[in-house]
Amino acid sequence: MSTTGQHPAVDADELRRRVRDLLDAHPPATTAPLDFLRARFDAGLAWVHYPAGLGGLDAPRSLQAVVDAELAAAGAPDNDPRRIGIGLGMAAPTILGFGTDEQRQRLLRPLWTGEEVWCQLFSEPGAGSDLAALATRAVRDGDDWVVDGQKVWTSSAHIARWAILIARTDPDQPKHRGISYFICDMTDPGVEVRPLRQITGEAEFNEVFLTGVRIPDSRRLGEIGEGWRVAQTTLMNERVAIGGGRVPREGGVIGLVADTWRERPELRTHDLHQRLLRLWMESEAARLAGERLRQQLAVGQPGPEGSAMKLAFARLNQHISALEVELLGEEGLGYDDWTLRRPELVDFTGREAGYRYLRAKGNSIEGGTSEVLLNIIAERVLGLPPEPRTDKDVPWKDLPR
Amino acid sequence: MSTPDLLYSEAEDDLRAAVRSLLTDRCPPATVLSEAESGRAHDVALWGALGTEMGTAGLLVPDKLGGQGATAREAAVVMEELGRAVAPVPYLTSAVLAAGALLGCDTGQEPVARLLGALAEGRTVGTLAVPLSTMAGVSGPPAATVRADGDGTLSGQVSSVAGAAGADVLLVPATGADGYGLYAVETAETSVTVEPLTSLDLTRPLAAVTLTGAPARRLAGPDRAAAAIERALLTGAGLLASEQLGVAEWCLTETVRHTKERHQFGRPVGSFQALKHRMAALWLELVSARATARYAADALATDSPDTPVAVAVAQAHCAEVAVRAAEECVQLHGGIGMTWEHPAHLYLKRAKSDEIALGTPGRHRQALAGLVDLAAPTG
């Protein structure tokens, strides 16, 4: 079976023909959604830029939009990309890049169809922005690795079948060099998932405690001690995934506030008017920058604007939701529900202003804090010298913590 | 205009030390959180110790009416400490707003004096039954949503009242055949419903009040009621600035402490200049916030003609400083600042709620425009 580059170039017409064949063989109206998704994967129409046999056709990535549009028009079921976003956006490209053929065959299809949900066991209480400082240990024992440690801020851990995991395999090496990358079976003994309640009252995330978890060496991704390099692939894809999609004007939180403004003239003040207009224009500017980034990606090169988009969205979400609470005045003093809930997805627009205000506070922390992203822009985009580093060549075990 | 005293007196420092010591013992963040989750309106035992035993409930009430005969300056110091602890006690609602409204009535009248004395003792808890977002000034007293009937009863609803759950008596603005008036209603009456609302600020819960023919005692009629309520709201807004200062102070102090201890990249995160400068900038904002809050307290204490300006400046300024400090506190704590266990969220919720309470910064700036002759553009 071929996995790379064996197919002749597939163009948009060819893809449309294949979509028609798929729809003829598996009419969405009479096919169970999961069966349809499996058939779509097998037809190479899941992610067309993936290799043939692994859900793709080695086609240009930009042609995925053609397939998606045709299938949406035909009323085909989708694979709930938001629910399985970690698998799609982070685990899959890493497995594709570093996995063995056996791993790719076993894992990618149920990942894409949503049969198996993935989570990411990266962050730890002591290793957030400085992820490479992680302390979870993996010790070799025969054909297995025995893993002990604690992970935090794990989305979807309570529904996940698999996790991508980074753990320290050599504490005598400097922190970046002693890490290896594994696939962890979340149903294994020793994996304990606890809800992590946050500022909004709900437990959207989890803490994961790993106690003597045995992971076979066959579920390692990449070489021993090369885990940091593998993780870079995961993280790069995480940042591309954030702020990627196409949005209409007023498509984000600004639309909610704009509608409130239009419908509730009694709430208007001069002060809020100027602030709203400013935020409306900034939202439009960010939207256009996002669209421009999307066009850039379509023609090939992802620019450094990805980090800029995440920064802009975090700032805008925070400023707009802060204004929304203030605009609502007396209503802004209320909250919809403090009950401890465990949503599978963040429902940013389905809840009230107070929730948005509080949840948006996380936008500048999760997936790389704004402070760290600004440093990345300063150093990698502007070429400014880095901060002096005292932790580079020191064995991990000797670092201050 | 005489020169205002913007410092703290020795007596005020002593008062602060006593309040802080009590709150450190009895009101640590973990207690505040469990109290907020208990569903109780406020911490009754803490209020007994602070309001009654320490006498803070009666600070604004003259000696001869059973209070401590202090001024807004001392009350402001208490508010700072309560903000620093996000303490779940009815100080603002009972000792400031309710007592303040009564002080504007004819205290020579027995019912007014008796109620004031009871509030000053802290054993009776009251609140002014207006939405917490109500602002003094601009367009006169808040329009009454309650009707006074000829038989001496009140009917109607008031939304988003702070301190109503847990109050023994409500001071209700109402309109009847005799015009606008301020009335006292006992919450124990079956014709009074106080329905707790889910509030953004877990430590200062709101409630909706419904009166259906509730027996009421009129405390002030059209000649005094509006002015009494206005004065109470102005005092409340002025003193709220001190609470906001306290909130901001805790946030900065905790953030500095955390960033000195939290190591990332092999060093304390507080050693990064990008973070260091932000905390230093926050400190600068606190310097000016303290000055404006002190000026408002002093103006209220001395009944300065500049009081409306002082209050507008303090509210517009301190509200924003408190929100910024709480937001920076969450951000600079990183992930832990987003958790339910860490108290940062209690401060963020108090700061954001306080920003709306008794007038938003924008509305206070608008009020200021009129007071200092800086009219808005027309057309």
Side-chain angles (χ1 to χ4, degrees), chain A residues 195-243:
Chain A
L196 175 60
R197 195 175 190 191
Q198 63 196 99
I199 194 168
T200 54
E202 64 183 28
E204 171 195 333
F205 300 100
N206 301 277
E207 294 177 293
V208 179
F209 295 81
L210 305 161
T211 314
V213 179
R214 299 191 78 88
I215 298 181
D217 189 55
S218 60
R219 289 214 299 264
R220 175 165 46 78
L221 281 184
E223 299 303 313
I224 297 170
E226 289 290 302
W228 186 251
R229 199 167 67 83
V230 182
Q232 289 312 301
T233 300
T234 309
L235 295 174
M236 221 167 58
N237 279 285
E238 177 180 24
R239 281 180 196 143
V240 169
I242 293 173

Coordinates of all heavy atoms in Angstrom, one line a residue, chain A residues 195-243:
Chain A
P195 N -12.2 16.1 37.4 CA -12.6 17.4 36.9 C -11.8 18.6 37.5 O -11.5 18.6 38.7 CB -14.1 17.5 37.2 CG -14.3 16.5 38.3 CD -13.2 15.4 38.1
L196 N -11.5 19.6 36.7 CA -10.8 20.8 37.2 C -11.8 21.9 37.0 O -12.1 22.4 35.9 CB -9.5 21.0 36.4 CG -8.8 22.3 36.7 CD1 -8.4 22.4 38.1 CD2 -7.6 22.5 35.8
R197 N -12.3 22.4 38.1 CA -13.4 23.4 38.1 C -12.7 24.8 37.8 O -11.6 25.0 38.4 CB -14.1 23.5 39.4 CG -15.4 24.3 39.2 CD -16.2 24.2 40.5 NE -17.5 24.8 40.2 CZ -18.4 25.1 41.2 NH1 -18.1 24.8 42.4 NH2 -19.6 25.6 40.8
Q198 N -13.2 25.6 37.0 CA -12.6 26.9 36.7 C -13.5 28.0 37.1 O -14.6 27.9 37.5 CB -12.2 26.9 35.2 CG -13.4 26.8 34.3 CD -13.0 26.4 32.9 OE1 -13.1 25.3 32.5 NE2 -12.5 27.4 32.1
I199 N -13.0 29.2 36.8 CA -13.5 30.5 37.2 C -15.0 30.6 36.7 O -15.8 31.3 37.4 CB -12.6 31.5 36.5 CG1 -12.8 32.9 37.0 CG2 -12.7 31.5 35.0 CD1 -11.7 33.9 36.5
T200 N -15.4 30.0 35.6 CA -16.8 30.1 35.1 C -17.7 29.2 35.9 O -18.9 29.3 35.7 CB -16.8 29.6 33.7 OG1 -16.3 28.3 33.7 CG2 -16.1 30.5 32.8
G201 N -17.2 28.3 36.8 CA -18.0 27.4 37.6 C -18.1 26.0 37.0 O -18.4 25.1 37.7
E202 N -17.8 25.9 35.7 CA -17.8 24.6 35.1 C -16.5 23.9 35.1 O -15.5 24.5 35.3 CB -18.4 24.7 33.7 CG -17.6 25.4 32.7 CD -18.2 25.6 31.4 OE1 -19.5 25.5 31.3 OE2 -17.5 25.7 30.4
A203 N -16.5 22.6 34.9 CA -15.2 21.9 34.7 C -15.1 21.4 33.3 O -15.4 20.3 32.9 CB -15.2 20.7 35.7
E204 N -14.6 22.4 32.5 CA -14.4 22.1 31.1 C -13.1 21.3 30.9 O -13.0 20.5 29.9 CB -14.3 23.5 30.4 CG -13.9 23.5 29.0 CD -13.6 25.0 28.7 OE1 -14.1 25.9 29.3 OE2 -12.8 25.2 27.7
F205 N -12.2 21.4 31.9 CA -10.9 20.7 31.8 C -10.8 19.7 32.9 O -11.7 19.5 33.7 CB -9.8 21.8 32.0 CG -9.8 22.8 31.0 CD1 -10.4 24.1 31.2 CD2 -9.3 22.6 29.7 CE1 -10.4 25.1 30.3 CE2 -9.3 23.7 28.8 CZ -9.8 24.9 29.1
N206 N -9.7 19.0 32.8 CA -9.4 17.9 33.8 C -8.0 18.0 34.3 O -7.1 18.6 33.7 CB -9.6 16.6 33.2 CG -11.0 16.4 32.6 OD1 -11.9 16.0 33.3 ND2 -11.1 16.7 31.3
E207 N -7.8 17.4 35.5 CA -6.5 17.0 35.9 C -6.3 15.6 35.7 O -7.3 14.8 35.9 CB -6.3 17.3 37.4 CG -6.4 18.8 37.8 CD -6.3 19.0 39.3 OE1 -7.2 18.6 40.0 OE2 -5.3 19.6 39.7
V208 N -5.2 15.1 35.2 CA -5.0 13.7 35.0 C -3.8 13.2 35.8 O -2.7 13.8 35.7 CB -4.7 13.4 33.5 CG1 -4.5 11.9 33.3 CG2 -5.9 13.9 32.7
F209 N -4.0 12.3 36.7 CA -3.0 11.7 37.5 C -2.6 10.3 36.9 O -3.4 9.5 36.7 CB -3.5 11.5 39.0 CG -3.9 12.8 39.6 CD1 -5.1 13.5 39.3 CD2 -2.9 13.5 40.4 CE1 -5.4 14.7 39.9 CE2 -3.2 14.7 41.0 CZ -4.4 15.3 40.8
L210 N -1.3 10.2 36.7 CA -0.7 9.0 36.1 C 0.1 8.3 37.2 O 1.1 8.8 37.7 CB 0.2 9.4 34.9 CG -0.5 10.2 33.9 CD1 0.5 10.9 33.0 CD2 -1.5 9.3 33.0
T211 N -0.3 7.1 37.6 CA 0.4 6.4 38.6 C 0.7 5.0 38.1 O -0.1 4.1 38.0 CB -0.6 6.2 39.9 OG1 -1.2 7.5 40.1 CG2 0.2 5.8 41.1
G212 N 2.0 4.8 37.9 CA 2.5 3.4 37.4 C 1.8 3.0 36.1 O 1.6 1.8 36.0
V213 N 1.5 3.9 35.3 CA 0.8 3.6 34.0 C 1.9 2.9 33.1 O 2.9 3.4 32.8 CB 0.3 4.8 33.3 CG1 -0.4 4.4 32.0 CG2 -0.7 5.5 34.2
R214 N 1.5 1.7 32.6 CA 2.5 1.0 31.7 C 2.1 1.2 30.2 O 1.0 1.0 29.8 CB 2.4 -0.5 32.0 CG 2.8 -0.9 33.4 CD 3.0 -2.4 33.6 NE 4.3 -2.8 33.1 CZ 5.4 -2.8 33.8 NH1 5.4 -2.4 35.0 NH2 6.6 -3.2 33.2
I215 N 3.1 1.8 29.5 CA 2.9 2.1 28.1 C 3.9 1.3 27.3 O 5.1 1.4 27.6 CB 3.1 3.6 27.8 CG1 2.1 4.4 28.6 CG2 3.0 3.9 26.3 CD1 2.2 5.9 28.3
P216 N 3.4 0.4 26.4 CA 4.4 -0.4 25.6 C 5.3 0.5 24.8 O 4.8 1.5 24.3 CB 3.5 -1.3 24.7 CG 2.1 -1.1 25.2 CD 2.0 0.1 26.1
D217 N 6.5 0.1 24.6 CA 7.4 0.9 23.8 C 6.9 1.1 22.4 O 7.2 2.0 21.7 CB 8.8 0.3 23.8 CG 9.8 1.2 23.2 OD1 9.9 2.3 23.6 OD2 10.5 0.8 22.2
S218 N 6.1 0.1 21.9 CA 5.5 0.2 20.6 C 4.6 1.4 20.4 O 4.2 1.8 19.3 CB 4.7 -1.0 20.2 OG 3.7 -1.2 21.1
R219 N 4.2 2.1 21.5 CA 3.4 3.3 21.4 C 4.2 4.6 21.7 O 3.6 5.6 22.1 CB 2.2 3.2 22.4 CG 1.2 2.1 21.9 CD -0.3 2.4 22.2 NE -0.5 2.5 23.6 CZ -0.9 1.6 24.4 NH1 -1.2 0.4 23.8 NH2 -1.1 1.7 25.7
R220 N 5.4 4.5 21.5 CA 6.3 5.7 21.5 C 6.2 6.3 20.1 O 6.2 5.6 19.1 CB 7.7 5.3 21.9 CG 8.7 6.4 21.8 CD 10.0 6.1 22.6 NE 10.5 4.7 22.3 CZ 11.2 4.4 21.1 NH1 11.4 5.3 20.2 NH2 11.6 3.2 20.9
L221 N 6.2 7.6 20.0 CA 6.3 8.3 18.7 C 7.6 9.0 18.6 O 7.9 9.9 19.5 CB 5.2 9.4 18.6 CG 3.8 9.0 18.2 CD1 2.9 10.2 18.1 CD2 3.7 8.2 17.0
G222 N 8.4 8.7 17.6 CA 9.7 9.3 17.5 C 10.7 8.6 18.4 O 10.4 7.7 19.2
E223 N 12.0 9.1 18.4 CA 13.1 8.4 19.1 C 13.0 8.8 20.6 O 12.5 9.8 21.0 CB 14.4 8.8 18.5 CG 14.6 8.5 17.1 CD 14.5 7.0 16.8 OE1 15.0 6.2 17.6 OE2 13.7 6.6 15.9
I224 N 13.6 7.9 21.4 CA 13.8 8.2 22.8 C 14.6 9.5 22.9 O 15.7 9.7 22.3 CB 14.5 7.1 23.5 CG1 13.6 5.8 23.5 CG2 14.8 7.4 25.0 CD1 14.3 4.5 23.9
G225 N 14.1 10.4 23.8 CA 14.8 11.7 24.0 C 14.6 12.8 22.9 O 15.0 13.9 23.0
E226 N 13.8 12.4 21.9 CA 13.4 13.3 20.8 C 12.0 13.9 21.0 O 11.4 14.5 20.0 CB 13.5 12.6 19.4 CG 14.9 12.3 19.0 CD 15.7 13.5 18.7 OE1 15.2 14.3 17.8 OE2 16.7 13.8 19.3
G227 N 11.4 13.7 22.1 CA 10.0 14.0 22.3 C 9.7 15.5 22.2 O 8.6 15.9 21.7
W228 N 10.7 16.3 22.5 CA 10.5 17.8 22.3 C 10.3 18.2 20.9 O 9.4 19.0 20.5 CB 11.6 18.6 23.0 CG 11.3 20.1 23.0 CD1 11.9 21.0 22.3 CD2 10.3 20.7 23.7 NE1 11.4 22.2 22.5 CE2 10.4 22.1 23.4 CE3 9.3 20.3 24.7 CZ2 9.5 23.0 24.0 CZ3 8.5 21.2 25.2 CH2 8.6 22.6 24.8
R229 N 11.1 17.5 20.0 CA 11.0 17.8 18.6 C 9.7 17.4 18.1 O 9.0 18.1 17.3 CB 12.2 17.1 17.9 CG 12.5 17.7 16.5 CD 13.8 17.2 16.0 NE 13.8 15.7 15.7 CZ 13.3 15.2 14.6 NH1 12.8 16.0 13.6 NH2 13.3 13.9 14.4
V230 N 9.3 16.2 18.5 CA 7.9 15.7 18.1 C 6.8 16.6 18.6 O 5.9 17.0 17.8 CB 7.7 14.3 18.6 CG1 6.4 13.7 18.1 CG2 8.9 13.3 18.2
A231 N 7.0 17.1 19.8 CA 6.0 18.0 20.4 C 5.9 19.3 19.6 O 4.8 19.9 19.5 CB 6.3 18.2 21.8
Q232 N 6.9 19.7 19.0 CA 6.9 21.0 18.2 C 5.9 20.8 17.1 O 5.2 21.8 16.7 CB 8.3 21.3 17.7 CG 9.3 21.8 18.7 CD 8.7 22.8 19.6 OE1 8.2 23.9 19.2 NE2 8.6 22.5 20.9
T233 N 5.9 19.6 16.5 CA 4.9 19.4 15.4 C 3.5 19.6 15.9 O 2.6 20.2 15.3 CB 5.1 18.0 14.8 OG1 6.4 17.8 14.3 CG2 4.1 17.7 13.7
T234 N 3.3 19.0 17.1 CA 1.9 19.1 17.7 C 1.6 20.5 18.0 O 0.5 21.0 17.6 CB 1.9 18.3 19.0 OG1 2.4 17.0 18.8 CG2 0.5 18.2 19.6
L235 N 2.5 21.2 18.6 CA 2.2 22.6 19.0 C 2.1 23.5 17.8 O 1.2 24.4 17.8 CB 3.3 23.1 19.9 CG 3.4 22.3 21.3 CD1 4.6 22.7 22.1 CD2 2.1 22.5 22.1
M236 N 2.9 23.3 16.8 CA 2.8 24.2 15.6 C 1.4 24.0 15.0 O 0.8 25.0 14.6 CB 3.8 23.7 14.6 CG 4.5 24.9 13.9 SD 6.0 24.2 13.0 CE 5.2 23.0 12.0
N237 N 0.9 22.8 15.0 CA -0.4 22.5 14.4 C -1.5 23.1 15.3 O -2.5 23.5 14.8 CB -0.6 21.0 14.2 CG 0.0 20.6 12.9 OD1 -0.5 20.9 11.8 ND2 1.2 20.0 13.0
E238 N -1.3 23.1 16.6 CA -2.2 23.7 17.6 C -2.4 25.2 17.2 O -3.5 25.7 17.1 CB -1.8 23.6 19.0 CG -2.7 24.2 20.0 CD -2.3 24.1 21.5 OE1 -1.0 23.9 21.7 OE2 -3.1 24.2 22.3
R239 N -1.3 25.9 17.0 CA -1.4 27.3 16.8 C -2.0 27.6 15.4 O -2.7 28.6 15.3 CB -0.1 28.0 16.9 CG 0.2 28.1 18.4 CD 1.5 28.8 18.7 NE 1.8 28.5 20.1 CZ 3.0 28.2 20.6 NH1 4.0 28.2 19.9 NH2 3.1 28.0 21.9
V240 N -1.8 26.7 14.4 CA -2.4 27.0 13.1 C -3.9 26.8 13.3 O -4.7 27.5 12.7 CB -1.8 26.0 12.1 CG1 -2.7 26.0 10.8 CG2 -0.4 26.4 11.8
A241 N -4.3 25.8 14.1 CA -5.7 25.5 14.3 C -6.5 26.6 14.9 O -7.6 26.8 14.6 CB -5.9 24.2 15.1
I242 N -5.9 27.3 15.8 CA -6.6 28.4 16.5 C -6.7 29.6 15.6 O -5.8 30.1 15.0 CB -5.8 28.8 17.8 CG1 -5.9 27.7 18.8 CG2 -6.4 30.1 18.4 CD1 -5.0 27.8 20.0
G243 N -7.9 30.1 15.5 CA -8.1 31.3 14.6 C -8.0 31.1 13.2 O -7.7 32.0 12.4

